[in-house]
Amino acid sequence: MSDAPTYAQLTTKADAINESFEREFKRFERFFGDRLDSEFVPRLIRQLQVEGYSLADVDADLKALNELRVKFIGKKSEWMALKKLIGRIGDERERRNAGEHLSLIEVKFTDRFEPARLNLEKIGDTLRIKRECLDVTIPGRRPRRGHVHPITLVRERIEDIFVSLGYAIEDGREIETDFYNFDALNIPQNHPARASQDTFYTTDGFALRSQTSTVQIHAMQGRGAPVRMIAPGRVFRRDTPDPTHNPMFFQVEGLCVDRGITMAHLKGTVGEFLRRMFGPNTRTRFRPSYFPFTEPSAEFDFSCFKCGGSGCRICKQSGWIELGGSGMVHPNVLRVADIDPEEFSGFAFGLGIDRMVALMYNLDDIRLLFENDLRFLEQFD
Ligand code: FA5
């Protein structure tokens, strides 16, 4: 139609565009309602809800509707190009008729697009309000009640016993210098005891403490002598995990420094603690051992709380359960904290809480304590 189009050519083309518009608009037909009928949109929304029509569908339909509008009556549409040809029809009457023909069709186009778009937007607004509204009549959800972790449970029991014996509770640091973790505890560089307590190091010379014995030094430096404290807390070692080992576990340290403190005080205190923890018939035994920061040193066991000493699965038929290390505070350790070993003496002990929890609750693997499995943890409520 490059040269002077005829009326017939132009209107045939216009009718063809109109037909294809009808076809393509069909998908939006249901959104094109009678603008005078105020029930139209609410009715439509009810229907759409049954079909599960969502906000995402509204957005997709609005986008598609706009694309259709651009395609049919946008600036670069075939329709606009066709309209420009009207003026080139030679015969005046035919030109006027063609103009009327095309404008009737175009009015229909715009008359369809606009209400469909407005209705779709109304539907979107309604769905959005529905999504955001709060039904205050819905019964509330009861928050789930938590409870303390089994390690905390046992730690608090230990704390209660020692507080009643006149001990303070000391909060230690988990990140330490080499000095507090080793040197101050009479473990100089290259001492073999460093190897068995290898830990995790930071790049700037700090280490995660491998035992709560570090708190002995802080407590003596901070409080001076006499001092009586326990220090429960997390410690770290480069140990390969297995049923009785974890690279992170809990210990409780105990320290008592005063004038005239002897091994008898240590035995009496540990014995009393274990009787209060496991029952009045609990017996304690001390075996000679070695720790660089105590002299003499001893490991202590208590009679099995399950069988009372006759032998069972928990105590591996021995009648005794190993619990921790202890001893008289080494004079070098007292000196580090500026306490005169000629005037003062003291005892210290340390035990692992995790293995104690495992024994008390009959767990065959301490790693269960740190897996955060609610099915396991909920049993301690
Ligand atoms: C010590 O750590 C000494 N600081 C104890 C001490 C304190 C002695 C004061 C003298 C005076 P030992 O390395 O044996 O000692 O550890 C004490 C307890 O920690 C052990 O009896 C055990 O119950 C626990 N334990 C050690 N390694 C692990 C591990 N990898 N996982 C879980 N528990 C552990």
PDB file of all heavy atoms in Angstrom, residues 193-208:
ATOM      1  N   ALA A 193      53.939 -31.544  78.776  1.00  0.00           N
ATOM      2  CA  ALA A 193      52.505 -31.410  79.096  1.00  0.00           C
ATOM      3  C   ALA A 193      51.779 -30.531  78.082  1.00  0.00           C
ATOM      4  O   ALA A 193      50.560 -30.599  77.952  1.00  0.00           O
ATOM      5  CB  ALA A 193      52.337 -30.836  80.496  1.00  0.00           C
ATOM      6  N   ARG A 194      52.524 -29.701  77.333  1.00  0.00           N
ATOM      7  CA  ARG A 194      51.862 -28.878  76.307  1.00  0.00           C
ATOM      8  C   ARG A 194      51.283 -29.737  75.191  1.00  0.00           C
ATOM      9  O   ARG A 194      50.233 -29.432  74.636  1.00  0.00           O
ATOM     10  CB  ARG A 194      52.843 -27.871  75.706  1.00  0.00           C
ATOM     11  CG  ARG A 194      53.176 -26.753  76.659  1.00  0.00           C
ATOM     12  CD  ARG A 194      53.713 -25.547  75.921  1.00  0.00           C
ATOM     13  NE  ARG A 194      53.959 -24.464  76.870  1.00  0.00           N
ATOM     14  CZ  ARG A 194      54.011 -23.190  76.537  1.00  0.00           C
ATOM     15  NH1 ARG A 194      53.866 -22.823  75.280  1.00  0.00           N
ATOM     16  NH2 ARG A 194      54.221 -22.271  77.441  1.00  0.00           N
ATOM     17  N   ALA A 195      52.000 -30.843  74.898  1.00  0.00           N
ATOM     18  CA  ALA A 195      51.585 -31.680  73.762  1.00  0.00           C
ATOM     19  C   ALA A 195      50.220 -32.327  74.021  1.00  0.00           C
ATOM     20  O   ALA A 195      49.369 -32.377  73.128  1.00  0.00           O
ATOM     21  CB  ALA A 195      52.634 -32.737  73.484  1.00  0.00           C
ATOM     22  N   SER A 196      49.999 -32.793  75.262  1.00  0.00           N
ATOM     23  CA  SER A 196      48.736 -33.497  75.532  1.00  0.00           C
ATOM     24  C   SER A 196      47.561 -32.523  75.611  1.00  0.00           C
ATOM     25  O   SER A 196      46.413 -32.928  75.637  1.00  0.00           O
ATOM     26  CB  SER A 196      48.856 -34.287  76.835  1.00  0.00           C
ATOM     27  OG  SER A 196      49.025 -33.371  77.896  1.00  0.00           O
ATOM     28  N   GLN A 197      47.860 -31.232  75.683  1.00  0.00           N
ATOM     29  CA  GLN A 197      46.754 -30.266  75.723  1.00  0.00           C
ATOM     30  C   GLN A 197      46.888 -29.286  74.569  1.00  0.00           C
ATOM     31  O   GLN A 197      46.671 -28.084  74.732  1.00  0.00           O
ATOM     32  CB  GLN A 197      46.777 -29.509  77.043  1.00  0.00           C
ATOM     33  CG  GLN A 197      46.397 -30.382  78.211  1.00  0.00           C
ATOM     34  CD  GLN A 197      45.866 -29.570  79.372  1.00  0.00           C
ATOM     35  OE1 GLN A 197      45.673 -28.379  79.277  1.00  0.00           O
ATOM     36  NE2 GLN A 197      45.615 -30.235  80.469  1.00  0.00           N
ATOM     37  N   ASP A 198      47.247 -29.811  73.395  1.00  0.00           N
ATOM     38  CA  ASP A 198      47.350 -28.939  72.230  1.00  0.00           C
ATOM     39  C   ASP A 198      45.957 -28.359  71.962  1.00  0.00           C
ATOM     40  O   ASP A 198      44.953 -29.035  72.102  1.00  0.00           O
ATOM     41  CB  ASP A 198      47.836 -29.736  71.015  1.00  0.00           C
ATOM     42  CG  ASP A 198      48.387 -28.809  69.949  1.00  0.00           C
ATOM     43  OD1 ASP A 198      48.510 -27.600  70.233  1.00  0.00           O
ATOM     44  OD2 ASP A 198      48.679 -29.292  68.850  1.00  0.00           O
ATOM     45  N   THR A 199      45.922 -27.101  71.599  1.00  0.00           N
ATOM     46  CA  THR A 199      44.604 -26.475  71.437  1.00  0.00           C
ATOM     47  C   THR A 199      44.518 -25.733  70.102  1.00  0.00           C
ATOM     48  O   THR A 199      45.258 -26.051  69.160  1.00  0.00           O
ATOM     49  CB  THR A 199      44.310 -25.545  72.636  1.00  0.00           C
ATOM     50  OG1 THR A 199      43.098 -24.863  72.403  1.00  0.00           O
ATOM     51  CG2 THR A 199      45.412 -24.520  72.867  1.00  0.00           C
ATOM     52  N   PHE A 200      43.642 -24.764  70.006  1.00  0.00           N
ATOM     53  CA  PHE A 200      43.451 -24.011  68.770  1.00  0.00           C
ATOM     54  C   PHE A 200      44.025 -22.617  68.975  1.00  0.00           C
ATOM     55  O   PHE A 200      43.782 -21.994  69.999  1.00  0.00           O
ATOM     56  CB  PHE A 200      41.959 -23.911  68.444  1.00  0.00           C
ATOM     57  CG  PHE A 200      41.313 -25.259  68.331  1.00  0.00           C
ATOM     58  CD1 PHE A 200      40.717 -25.859  69.440  1.00  0.00           C
ATOM     59  CD2 PHE A 200      41.308 -25.954  67.129  1.00  0.00           C
ATOM     60  CE1 PHE A 200      40.136 -27.109  69.348  1.00  0.00           C
ATOM     61  CE2 PHE A 200      40.732 -27.196  67.026  1.00  0.00           C
ATOM     62  CZ  PHE A 200      40.144 -27.781  68.132  1.00  0.00           C
ATOM     63  N   TYR A 201      44.789 -22.154  67.996  1.00  0.00           N
ATOM     64  CA  TYR A 201      45.471 -20.865  68.152  1.00  0.00           C
ATOM     65  C   TYR A 201      44.918 -19.842  67.174  1.00  0.00           C
ATOM     66  O   TYR A 201      44.520 -20.189  66.064  1.00  0.00           O
ATOM     67  CB  TYR A 201      46.971 -21.037  67.916  1.00  0.00           C
ATOM     68  CG  TYR A 201      47.597 -21.979  68.924  1.00  0.00           C
ATOM     69  CD1 TYR A 201      47.636 -23.349  68.698  1.00  0.00           C
ATOM     70  CD2 TYR A 201      48.104 -21.490  70.122  1.00  0.00           C
ATOM     71  CE1 TYR A 201      48.168 -24.212  69.640  1.00  0.00           C
ATOM     72  CE2 TYR A 201      48.644 -22.344  71.066  1.00  0.00           C
ATOM     73  CZ  TYR A 201      48.672 -23.707  70.820  1.00  0.00           C
ATOM     74  OH  TYR A 201      49.188 -24.552  71.761  1.00  0.00           O
ATOM     75  N   THR A 202      44.920 -18.590  67.579  1.00  0.00           N
ATOM     76  CA  THR A 202      44.566 -17.527  66.641  1.00  0.00           C
ATOM     77  C   THR A 202      45.864 -17.043  66.003  1.00  0.00           C
ATOM     78  O   THR A 202      46.955 -17.352  66.493  1.00  0.00           O
ATOM     79  CB  THR A 202      43.872 -16.337  67.354  1.00  0.00           C
ATOM     80  OG1 THR A 202      44.836 -15.727  68.205  1.00  0.00           O
ATOM     81  CG2 THR A 202      42.680 -16.789  68.170  1.00  0.00           C
ATOM     82  N   THR A 203      45.751 -16.262  64.941  1.00  0.00           N
ATOM     83  CA  THR A 203      46.964 -15.845  64.237  1.00  0.00           C
ATOM     84  C   THR A 203      47.758 -14.807  65.036  1.00  0.00           C
ATOM     85  O   THR A 203      48.930 -14.615  64.809  1.00  0.00           O
ATOM     86  CB  THR A 203      46.594 -15.242  62.856  1.00  0.00           C
ATOM     87  OG1 THR A 203      45.470 -14.397  63.046  1.00  0.00           O
ATOM     88  CG2 THR A 203      46.296 -16.322  61.850  1.00  0.00           C
ATOM     89  N   ASP A 204      47.100 -14.143  66.018  1.00  0.00           N
ATOM     90  CA  ASP A 204      47.844 -13.106  66.736  1.00  0.00           C
ATOM     91  C   ASP A 204      48.261 -13.513  68.144  1.00  0.00           C
ATOM     92  O   ASP A 204      48.223 -12.710  69.080  1.00  0.00           O
ATOM     93  CB  ASP A 204      47.061 -11.794  66.741  1.00  0.00           C
ATOM     94  CG  ASP A 204      45.580 -12.036  66.929  1.00  0.00           C
ATOM     95  OD1 ASP A 204      45.226 -13.188  67.250  1.00  0.00           O
ATOM     96  OD2 ASP A 204      44.781 -11.100  66.778  1.00  0.00           O
ATOM     97  N   GLY A 205      48.649 -14.789  68.294  1.00  0.00           N
ATOM     98  CA  GLY A 205      49.293 -15.207  69.543  1.00  0.00           C
ATOM     99  C   GLY A 205      48.363 -15.599  70.677  1.00  0.00           C
ATOM    100  O   GLY A 205      48.812 -15.804  71.794  1.00  0.00           O
ATOM    101  N   PHE A 206      47.067 -15.707  70.416  1.00  0.00           N
ATOM    102  CA  PHE A 206      46.154 -16.157  71.468  1.00  0.00           C
ATOM    103  C   PHE A 206      45.795 -17.620  71.252  1.00  0.00           C
ATOM    104  O   PHE A 206      45.963 -18.157  70.155  1.00  0.00           O
ATOM    105  CB  PHE A 206      44.872 -15.319  71.471  1.00  0.00           C
ATOM    106  CG  PHE A 206      45.106 -13.893  71.845  1.00  0.00           C
ATOM    107  CD1 PHE A 206      45.220 -12.917  70.865  1.00  0.00           C
ATOM    108  CD2 PHE A 206      45.236 -13.518  73.172  1.00  0.00           C
ATOM    109  CE1 PHE A 206      45.444 -11.596  71.204  1.00  0.00           C
ATOM    110  CE2 PHE A 206      45.462 -12.201  73.518  1.00  0.00           C
ATOM    111  CZ  PHE A 206      45.564 -11.229  72.540  1.00  0.00           C
ATOM    112  N   ALA A 207      45.277 -18.241  72.311  1.00  0.00           N
ATOM    113  CA  ALA A 207      44.870 -19.650  72.197  1.00  0.00           C
ATOM    114  C   ALA A 207      43.534 -19.829  72.891  1.00  0.00           C
ATOM    115  O   ALA A 207      43.215 -19.098  73.833  1.00  0.00           O
ATOM    116  CB  ALA A 207      45.921 -20.532  72.852  1.00  0.00           C
ATOM    117  N   LEU A 208      42.726 -20.781  72.414  1.00  0.00           N
ATOM    118  CA  LEU A 208      41.512 -21.136  73.153  1.00  0.00           C
ATOM    119  C   LEU A 208      41.987 -21.974  74.333  1.00  0.00           C
ATOM    120  O   LEU A 208      42.776 -22.899  74.149  1.00  0.00           O
ATOM    121  CB  LEU A 208      40.565 -21.941  72.258  1.00  0.00           C
ATOM    122  CG  LEU A 208      40.094 -21.228  70.986  1.00  0.00           C
ATOM    123  CD1 LEU A 208      39.069 -22.078  70.245  1.00  0.00           C
ATOM    124  CD2 LEU A 208      39.463 -19.875  71.341  1.00  0.00           C
TER     125      LEU A 208
END
